[in-house]
Amino acid sequence: MKKLPEDFIFGGATAAYQAEGATREGGKGLVAWDTFLKEQGRFLADPASDFYHRYPEDLKLCSMFGINGIRLSIAWSRIFPEGKGKVNPEGVEFYHKVLKEAKDRGIKVFVTLHHFDTPKALFDQGDFLNRDNIDAFVDYAKFCFEEYPEVEYWTTFNEIYPIATNQYLLGIFPPGIKYDLSKVIMCLHNMMVAHSRTVNLFKENGYSGQIGVVHSLETKYPASDSPEDIHAAFLDDALSIRFLLDATYKGGYSKETLEALDEICAANNASYEFPEEDFIEFEKSKDRNDYLGINHYQSHFVKAYNGENAIHHNGTGDKGTGSYKVKGIGERIYKEGLERTDWDWLIYPEGLYDLMMRIKKDYPNYKAIYITENGMGYKDTFDHGIIMDKPRIDYIRKYMSSLADAIDAGVNVKGYFLWSLMDVFSWSNGYNKRYGLFFVDFETQERYPKESAYWYKQLAETKTIL
Ligand code: BGP
């Protein structure tokens, strides 16, 4: 039995494009995903879970199930359909209404400004590889800070690393480019500059509330004790974790991080150039982040790999079909005896504990941590309105227990947001990978609490992990 603090947030997470649906309603501008998904022909982001029309019902469910926090994102293209310039009043009003409904119910809201959905007009100009779009993002953020003083917690970006790699390494996000490490690195860096400039603006203009960033941090372990595997895990970690945490908290990249980057670039015929002035922004923002949001679902065991790039994304839930081998970095392997989901995501709760202890040690200016996403994609079965999702409950229990251990060991963790509040649309997997506490029948849009929702309610009420 483990206890969580009295003022802990037991939240649920969502994102605009995955929950709202209504992609062509209310004056919303296009995002790159709209055309990308249409071309692929597998699934679309409409209707998703129709949060655009059903947010009062979803927030009511939060209240009924003890959920005292929600993470949501503003769709940039609802506010500025073209990314900049003309404002869409209907989009602006929509988020005022959502925020009011949550406030009336006493639910704390964490608002993300960018969750994978750059407006198409800007995306087509190179997304964050184009530095003009850094200015556009900062302007959009400023507009939101002034328009929505009711927001208490702002997040600049959701998951910069998956954006960069899914867009330019795996090719599963638009524009669908594979194995271009130069683009990966420049996208990571430019988005960190956009984050840093936004934080500096927020603090220098004295807006009320808190601001932070959400990073996807998945712990890396060597597959064996061999020096080659240890080095492979170091390289994978350097690109996916150290690079971003250094930029967030150290005012620049450490020597080890840059050496790793150079080694990865040499193997991949890649290069990078970081303008000097960016480090002035990093230096100013490094102690201004009020919190770090961590999205953590899994860990990776990494083995040395010298072959050609070979990645296969398991986006269908056929267990064992995923593979990840990157030249000059390593191969992520399945470790015997460790559980994984149907989408090949390793279940390893120790990874969350190790990650948090490392942040406390290596980035002591982190101030506070929120677990902003964690959860289990699962093929739920629906039996006359009853959804028994025991594997999901076990998953949450184990990860929550790791989190409680980290708190006991002195890490300042203040809340947890389960991905996801209700079943939503999944970017590269569609609708059969469900994560919600509430089952959504995507035909009728009816919501049904799963067994996990009752379990989570008890957890939120007792603050005790049984
Ligand atoms: C994170 C994203 C979410 C969500 C989640 C689950 O990377 O921030 O938007 O989708 O992962 O991932 P998936 O839907 O691919 O299973």
Side-chain angles (χ1 to χ4, degrees):
M1 194 181 89
K2 290 176 188 169
K3 267 291 209 195
L4 287 162
E6 272 310 306
D7 59 353
F8 200 75
I9 296 180
F10 294 88
T14 69
Y17 199 66
Q18 294 177 271
E20 286 176 7
T23 61
R24 310 298 329 117
E25 255 180 80
K28 186 177 192 291
L30 285 174
V31 297
W33 281 97
D34 294 327
T35 39
F36 184 78
L37 293 174
K38 211 178 262 172
E39 279 159 20
Q40 291 205 326
R42 275 180 76 202
F43 36 73
L44 296 172
D46 277 305
S49 49
D50 198 24
F51 188 73
Y52 190 71
H53 300 107
R54 288 170 198 262
Y55 69 87
E57 189 182 338
D58 289 335
L59 291 167
K60 183 171 174 205
L61 283 170
C62 285
S63 304
M64 286 167 64
F65 282 81
I67 299 161
N68 61 354
I70 183 172
R71 220 190 127 213
L72 52 82
S73 73
I74 292 181
W76 184 349
S77 75
R78 278 201 197 283
I79 309 295
F80 292 102
E82 298 296 314
K84 55 186 174 186
K86 206 162 166 287
V87 175
N88 171 36
E90 219 179 318
V92 172
E93 193 45 36
F94 170 66
Y95 294 106
H96 278 300
K97 288 192 290 190
V98 176
L99 290 165
K100 174 157 190 329
E101 182 83 24
K103 191 166 189 202
D104 291 349
R105 294 192 170 278
I107 299 167
K108 287 203 183 299
V109 189
F110 278 59
V111 178
T112 307
L113 288 162
H114 181 282
H115 195 124
F116 303 174
D117 56 351
T118 307
K120 186 164 168 29
L122 303 182
F123 191 91
D124 290 348
Q125 306 290 319
D127 201 15
F128 281 96
L129 297 177
N130 178 347
R131 291 184 56 104
D132 290 346
N133 288 338
I134 300 178
D135 296 336
F137 177 79
V138 178
D139 291 347
Y140 153 63
K142 181 167 187 278
F143 175 90
C144 291
F145 298 151
E146 283 167 12
E147 178 66 38
Y148 301 107
E150 64 267 48
V151 173
E152 259 186 276
Y153 300 92
W154 288 104
T155 300
T156 51
F157 289 105
N158 177 71
E159 297 196 346
I160 293 174
Y161 177 77
I163 291 177
T165 48
N166 287 338
Q167 292 191 177
Y168 307 118
L169 179 66
L170 281 74
I172 57 172
F173 282 13
I177 293 172
K178 281 186 113 171
Y179 311 134
D180 190 332
L181 265 304
S182 303
K183 287 195 171 61
V184 169
I185 293 169
M186 287 318 297
C187 174
L188 291 173
H189 175 78
N190 287 345
M191 291 188 77
M192 279 312 305
V193 175
H195 161 74
S196 174
R197 281 185 48 194
T198 305
V199 168
N200 289 332
L201 172 106
F202 187 86
K203 293 296 175 186
E204 283 160 21
N205 284 7
Y207 299 120
S208 66
Q210 301 196 10
I211 190 159
V213 62
V214 166
H215 289 314
S216 162
L217 304 175
E218 302 189 317
T219 318
K220 309 291 180 259
Y221 298 96
S224 78
D225 292 340
S226 79
E228 292 80 12
D229 290 354
I230 292 173
H231 189 61
F234 163 75
L235 292 174
D236 200 351
D237 177 273
L239 188 67
S240 58
I241 298 183
R242 290 178 81 121
F243 188 85
L244 295 171
L245 291 181
D246 282 4
T248 310
Y249 288 114
K250 283 196 187 299
Y253 309 114
S254 66
K255 192 167 148 282
E256 292 83 358
T257 307
L258 289 173
E259 280 168 6
L261 217 59
D262 290 340
E263 194 179 330
I264 294 167
C265 282
N268 286 278
N269 205 9
S271 60
Y272 61 85
E273 209 184 314
F274 304 145
E276 260 317 300
E277 74 256 25
D278 295 348
F279 296 93
I280 301 171
E281 295 290 340
F282 286 167
E283 190 56 45
K284 276 201 286 181
S285 64
K286 73 180 196 319
D287 296 316
R288 287 174 161 175
N289 297 283
D290 295 303
Y291 65 91
L292 172 67
I294 298 179
N295 290 358
H296 179 97
Y297 290 86
Q298 59 172 334
S299 293
H300 295 118
F301 285 82
V302 191
K303 193 171 154 221
Y305 178 73
N306 297 313
E308 287 304 309
N309 287 315
I311 300 179
H312 178 76
H313 170 68
N314 169 3
T316 50
D318 292 330
K319 207 171 185 164
T321 57
S323 69
Y324 186 98
K325 301 174 192 175
V326 180
K327 192 159 121 188
I329 300 183
E331 172 181 0
R332 296 177 181 170
I333 59 144
Y334 302 133
K335 194 118 168 116
E336 275 303 305
L338 293 184
E339 271 182 289
R340 58 198 151 95
T341 71
D342 286 342
W343 286 265
D344 297 320
W345 292 24
L346 191 76
I347 303 175
Y348 194 68
E350 296 88 327
L352 180 60
Y353 177 83
D354 291 344
L355 173 75
M356 291 200 279
M357 296 309 286
R358 177 237 187 131
I359 290 170
K360 178 175 180 290
K361 180 168 132 304
D362 293 349
Y363 303 93
N365 55 338
Y366 73 89
K367 293 188 192 162
I369 289 176
Y370 291 89
I371 301 303
T372 36
E373 282 182 36
N374 170 253
M376 186 185 181
Y378 186 62
K379 295 169 189 161
D380 287 302
T381 50
F382 181 89
D383 184 10
H384 298 90
I386 298 192
I387 305 102
M388 300 301 285
D389 55 346
K390 189 170 177 304
R392 181 175 290 112
I393 296 174
D394 288 344
Y395 177 102
I396 307 171
R397 182 192 287 116
K398 287 183 201 156
Y399 274 91
M400 278 268 183
S401 173
S402 263
L403 183 163
D405 291 344
I407 295 178
D408 282 349
V411 183
N412 186 26
V413 192
K414 299 178 72 69
Y416 174 96
F417 293 81
L418 180 79
W419 183 269
S420 48
L421 179 62
M422 58 290 202
D423 290 338
V424 293
F425 162 75
S426 165
W427 309 94
S428 58
N429 311 285
Y431 290 94
N432 80 329
K433 192 178 188 187
R434 293 174 180 269
Y435 281 92
L437 288 173
F438 302 102
F439 185 95
V440 175
D441 176 334
F442 291 107
E443 300 282 312
T444 63
Q445 290 296 340
E446 282 294 312
R447 272 79 167 135
Y448 302 86
K450 300 180 191 175
E451 188 62 16
S452 56
Y454 295 101
W455 181 85
Y456 200 67
K457 179 173 192 278
Q458 203 190 27
L459 172 74
E461 283 168 2
T462 60
K463 297 168 179 62
T464 306
I465 308 164
L466 293 173

